[in-house]
Amino acid sequence: LDLPYFYYEILRVVACAAFSWLAFLNYLFEGERLYEALFIANLILAFLFNPFVPFYLHKEIWIPIDIASAALVFVNGFIISRKLSSEI
């Protein structure tokens, strides 16, 4: 897609905030290796998508990162919702 540069800047801000929030939630559930691994993965993605010091990679490199990021969001959503529903 040929979208304006402003779109990608906003996307970076939203993605960085979302991965930072997911990392924080996984940090709250510390003590299990799964949450520690998700914490680290989310921190790495928040760093990759940060809008302050952006990484300029080729499109061929971003595509697998985007797919893995989307998969990680779904995994986080499933695991965090399962954890929260078991605590209620």
Side-chain angles (χ1 to χ4, degrees), residues 9-88:
E9 288 181 20
I10 295 297
L11 182 64
R12 282 183 179 274
V13 170
V14 171
C16 183
F19 286 119
S20 298
W21 178 250
L22 288 171
F24 174 71
L25 289 177
N26 285 302
Y27 177 77
L28 292 178
F29 301 137
E30 67 182 332
E32 295 182 36
R33 286 178 133 323
L34 173 64
Y35 297 114
E36 292 172 1
L38 288 173
F39 170 73
I40 292 169
N42 285 314
L43 277 183
I44 290 170
L45 288 173
F47 185 69
L48 266 177
F49 283 99
N50 85 80
F52 308 109
V53 184
F55 287 91
Y56 298 105
L57 303 173
H58 292 285
K59 189 175 185 177
E60 296 82 23
I61 297 173
W62 274 116
I63 291 172
I65 292 172
D66 291 340
I67 293 169
S69 301
L72 187 66
V73 167
F74 284 111
V75 167
N76 270 293
F78 176 74
I79 290 173
I80 290 172
S81 67
R82 189 183 68 187
K83 176 74 171 177
L84 291 176
S85 66
S86 70
E87 289 184 357
I88 294 177

